[in-house]
């Protein structure tokens, strides 16, 4: 069958491929230690589920406005205003099928063929593919472990061309876990503001998962000028363990929100109505559940970092956010894909090859799993390294 060039240029997700293979091995009865998960291993907090059940019982089962339930848009705007110092109102918010969908819709609403999007690498797998699907040109900028995997103002300056339309920032980052400091954010904003038509999308889906006293700074807080150039993408999946609910949002200047709304009105329409009531409860209810999960992640993070440090041949910078570490495996002399395939075959440990994120000397380990798995898995990775050094 002749398929559209649009889909032929898109690479299938390597993350999902590894996870699928690991799951198949588990089904065959093998004891697999999986570090490939891109989601919290916790269940959605009970009060959030209750709110969705109540909404379902109250008949919130019909079409709603394509941009989202007015009450949820209000609640998101209020959260961004008070918590993040981003003065949005409901008209600046569009509710989407997760943060992934909000980014996809943004690319579709913003990019013309040939428009360039700067993507600091290592990057989240979907960014370049979304840009390509929207006929844009992804421009990856390789960052280094020594620079904390953060793009420098000089690198940004060099990557900008007359065709550059957008910069993607993701802090805390998937896959590196790194967090930009307020000073680093300000330095980037300065470069952005020197270029008239350049916008920034700030993917803040991991903003709540911070450790060692790190703080989250949205680039939109730098100045009113920068706020006007900022688009925030986020969602409920990571902070509230709601990955399967598919609720996210985009916050942006009203004109852009209206464009995304137009797209949604002809593609998805509104996202699941009663799921949106769960999201309202997530924002308006107690935030203790978020802190409880964060503390669990913090403990696992300490544990996994210690074990990596003790393993000959492995190294990684200390990340301050999300629930991933990007571990350098260069000492083994294998490509990241060969490394992960052999690790899964020989030691029954699932990890995601760095090549999926634009770095072939590393693998991503997710610590959204229990301590026992972390200990067992790292022991096996240690044996694997010993055999390959
Ligand atoms: C998980 C994730 C998202 C969005 O996930 P959704 O489930 O679609 O809300 C966005 N960006 C990054 C970097 C992520 O890891």
């Amino acid at each position: 069958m002749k398929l559209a060039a649009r889909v032929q240029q898109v690479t299938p997700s390597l993350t999902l491929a590894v996870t699928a293979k690991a799951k198949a091995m588990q089904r065959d009865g093998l004891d697999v230690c999986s570090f490939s998960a891109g989601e919290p291993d916790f269940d959605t907090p009970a009060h959030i589920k209750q709110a969705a059940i109540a909404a379902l019982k109250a008949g919130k089962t019909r079409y709603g406005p394509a941009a989202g339930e007015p009450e949820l848009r209000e609640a998101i705007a209020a959260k961004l205003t008070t918590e993040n110092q981003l003065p949005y109102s409901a008209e600046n918010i569009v509710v989407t099928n997760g943060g992934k969908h909000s980014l996809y819709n943004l690319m579709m609403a913003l990019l013309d063929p040939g428009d360039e999007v700067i993507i600091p690498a290592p990057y989240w797998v979907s960014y370049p593919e979304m840009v390509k699907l929207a006929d844009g040109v992804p421009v990856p900028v390789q960052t280094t472990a020594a620079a904390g995997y953060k793009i420098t103002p000089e690198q940004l300056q060099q990557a900008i061309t007359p065709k550059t339309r957008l910069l993607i920032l993701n802090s805390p980052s998937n896959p590196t876990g790194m967090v930009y400091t307020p000073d680093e954010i300000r330095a980037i904003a300065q470069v952005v503001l020197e270029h008239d038509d350049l916008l920034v999308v700030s993917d803040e889906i991991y903003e709540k998962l911070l450790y060692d006293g790190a703080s989250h700074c949205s680039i939109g807080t730098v100045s009113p000028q920068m706020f006007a150039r900022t688009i925030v993408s986020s969602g409920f999946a990571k902070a509230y363990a709601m990955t399967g609910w598919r609720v996210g949002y985009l916050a942006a200047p009203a004109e852009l929100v209206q464009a995304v709304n137009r797209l949604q009105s002809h593609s998805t329409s509104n996202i699941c109505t009663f799921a949106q009531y769960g999201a309202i409860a997530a924002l308006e209810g107690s935030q203790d559940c978020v802190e409880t999960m964060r503390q669990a992640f913090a403990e696992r993070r300490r544990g996994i970092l210690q074990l990596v440090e003790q393993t000959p041949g492995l190294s990684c910078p200390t990340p301050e956010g999300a629930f991933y570490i990007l571990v350098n495996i260069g000492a083994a002399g294998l490509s990241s894909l060969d490394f992960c395939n052999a690790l899964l075959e020989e030691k029954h440990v699932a990890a995601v090859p760095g090549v999926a994120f634009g770095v072939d000397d590393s693998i991503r380990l997710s610590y959204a799993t229990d301590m026992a798995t972390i200990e067992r898995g790292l022991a096996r990775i240690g044996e694997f390294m010993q055999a390959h050094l």
Side-chain angles (χ1 to χ4, degrees):
M1 190 190 298
K2 188 191 164 297
L3 296 173
R6 189 182 307 116
V7 288
Q8 292 189 45
Q9 59 166 350
V10 168
T11 321
S13 168
L14 270 177
T15 335
L16 296 184
V18 176
T19 311
K21 193 167 167 188
K23 281 195 177 140
M25 287 170 71
Q26 263 160 348
R27 267 198 306 276
D28 288 344
L30 294 170
D31 165 34
V32 177
C33 294
S34 184
F35 296 100
S36 62
E39 61 180 333
D41 54 327
F42 301 108
D43 197 11
T44 304
H47 70 281
I48 298 175
K49 289 196 213 171
Q50 278 310 326
I53 293 166
L56 197 51
K57 285 185 175 158
K60 302 286 186 191
T61 55
R62 308 239 174 162
Y63 289 138
E69 292 292 293
E71 197 184 335
L72 178 56
R73 292 173 78 197
E74 290 283 352
I76 293 166
K79 173 246 184 266
L80 290 168
T81 303
T82 55
E83 237 180 65
N84 303 88
Q85 286 76 54
L86 298 166
Y88 288 114
S89 41
E91 62 163 12
N92 300 112
I93 310 296
V94 56
V95 181
T96 57
N97 284 285
K100 185 177 272 185
H101 184 225
S102 80
L103 291 163
Y104 177 76
N105 280 349
L106 168 67
M107 303 307 166
M108 295 298 282
L110 199 64
L111 302 181
D112 272 324
D115 282 351
E116 295 177 359
V117 178
I118 297 177
I119 307 176
Y123 45 71
W124 186 43
V125 266
S126 296
Y127 295 147
E129 308 309 316
M130 287 173 174
V131 170
K132 287 192 274 177
L133 281 169
D135 292 330
V137 179
V139 178
V141 173
Q142 200 64 51
T143 66
T144 62
Y149 291 124
K150 297 174 198 176
I151 190 169
T152 65
E154 295 73 30
Q155 283 183 309
L156 175 59
Q157 185 75 58
Q158 274 168 18
I160 295 172
T161 77
K163 294 207 150 188
T164 310
R165 191 79 183 93
L166 184 69
L167 162 69
I168 304 182
L169 279 183
N170 174 216
S171 176
S173 153
N174 175 6
T176 70
M178 302 309 277
V179 179
Y180 284 81
T181 67
D183 277 347
E184 289 163 345
I185 292 286
R186 278 190 283 272
I188 287 170
Q190 201 173 354
V191 177
V192 170
L193 289 172
E194 284 166 15
H195 300 269
D196 279 345
D197 293 321
L198 181 53
L199 300 174
V200 178
V201 60
S202 181
D203 180 350
E204 306 188 356
I205 193 112
Y206 293 101
E207 64 164 328
K208 303 276 187 189
L209 299 176
L210 296 164
Y211 318 105
D212 291 349
S215 62
H216 169 70
C217 171
S218 175
I219 193 163
T221 62
V222 169
S223 66
Q225 291 85 337
M226 193 59 236
F227 180 65
R229 306 267 207 103
T230 301
I231 299 140
V232 174
S233 173
S234 194
F236 296 83
K238 309 295 164 45
Y240 299 98
M242 291 171 67
T243 45
W245 290 61
R246 310 314 300 137
V247 193
Y249 55 88
L250 197 72
E255 202 183 346
L256 185 53
V257 162
Q258 282 155 21
V260 168
N261 188 26
R262 258 196 324 266
L263 269 180
Q264 283 200 174
S265 70
H266 290 296
S267 50
T268 51
S269 298
N270 64 286
I271 77 146
C272 174
T273 307
F274 47 89
Q276 294 185 60
Y277 285 84
I280 293 169
L283 287 180
E284 294 182 345
S286 161
Q287 300 301 298
D288 290 354
C289 54
V290 179
E291 177 58 14
T292 304
M293 292 188 271
R294 191 199 67 81
Q295 282 177 12
F297 287 133
E299 193 187 319
R300 297 154 175 193
R301 168 180 165 277
R302 259 195 310 276
I304 199 166
L305 284 171
Q306 211 165 37
L307 291 167
V308 165
E309 198 177 310
Q310 289 163 6
T311 307
L314 298 184
S315 66
C316 76
T318 303
E320 293 175 313
F323 40 68
Y324 310 101
I325 55 173
L326 193 71
V327 181
N328 187 297
I329 45 106
L334 297 170
S335 75
S336 61
L337 192 56
D338 288 346
F339 185 99
C340 288
N341 278 328
L343 184 65
L344 187 55
E345 298 272 329
E346 294 171 26
K347 295 291 172 191
H348 303 167
V349 173
V352 183
V355 67
F357 315 108
V359 269
D360 207 19
D361 64 357
S362 299
I363 60 170
R364 189 192 74 177
L365 301 181
S366 159
Y367 52 87
T369 186
D370 56 279
M371 261 325 280
T373 302
I374 289 172
E375 282 165 10
R376 229 153 16 102
L378 264 292
R380 294 184 195 178
I381 295 175
E383 293 166 14
F384 183 84
M385 285 306 290
Q386 213 160 24
H388 286 84
L389 279 180

